[in-house]
Amino acid sequence: MVETLITSAPRHTERAVGGTTVVALHGDIDILTASPLGAHLDDLTAALHPDLVVDLRAVSFIDCAGLRVLCRARNRTVERHGRLRLVTGSGQFLRILGGAGLDGVFEIYDRLSEAVAAVPGGALTTAAG
């Protein structure tokens, strides 16, 4: 019997809103999808002053590999004097961030429009909420 490991790339849509890149992720962000997603986010955070919003509202599952990808994107953005905002309405995701000790690490918003329009430091929701 031959086994085939199927790796799926994360499904996403991407668009520019002014100078901000908005990436809407869909489905699972896990060990199978983390590597291609990480490579894509690396591309988006390669230049100076990246301005990125990652919309997680359609993400149904995220594991530690997915958290690692988000942390790497955040760190690369900070190193390049840019911004990374997350959009989620999921209390479960906020609890995962809290459990991982990532409270207050990300700018987190409930609504995409608020994340895109936000001034630096104006997050409406924290991981502790």
Side-chain angles (χ1 to χ4, degrees):
M1 180 166 145
V2 176
E3 290 185 39
T4 303
L5 177 63
I6 299 173
T7 60
S8 59
R11 293 175 294 144
H12 72 276
T13 57
E14 186 176 317
R15 63 189 169 110
V17 178
T20 302
T21 301
V22 177
V23 179
L25 302 177
H26 309 275
D28 296 348
I29 305 175
D30 57 18
I31 195 164
L32 295 176
T33 61
S35 183
L37 174 61
H40 185 66
L41 292 178
D42 280 355
D43 289 343
L44 294 175
T45 58
L48 283 177
H49 309 290
D51 190 12
L52 185 63
V53 171
V54 178
D55 185 351
L56 301 169
R57 292 175 298 167
V59 170
S60 52
F61 175 81
I62 188 165
D63 67 7
C64 58
L67 288 179
R68 181 186 54 78
V69 167
L70 293 177
C71 287
R72 177 176 167 82
R74 183 239 175 232
N75 292 342
R76 287 173 55 86
T77 301
V78 169
E79 289 169 1
R80 290 161 177 81
H81 308 286
R83 288 182 71 201
L84 172 72
R85 279 100 66 213
L86 304 180
V87 179
T88 182
S90 170
Q92 181 179 9
F93 178 71
L94 296 176
R95 285 189 300 278
I96 289 169
L97 285 179
L102 297 172
D103 293 36
V105 170
F106 296 95
E107 281 187 64
I108 299 176
Y109 295 85
D110 293 328
R111 297 172 187 258
L112 180 61
S113 60
E114 294 166 345
V116 171
V119 295
L124 301 177
T125 307
T126 64

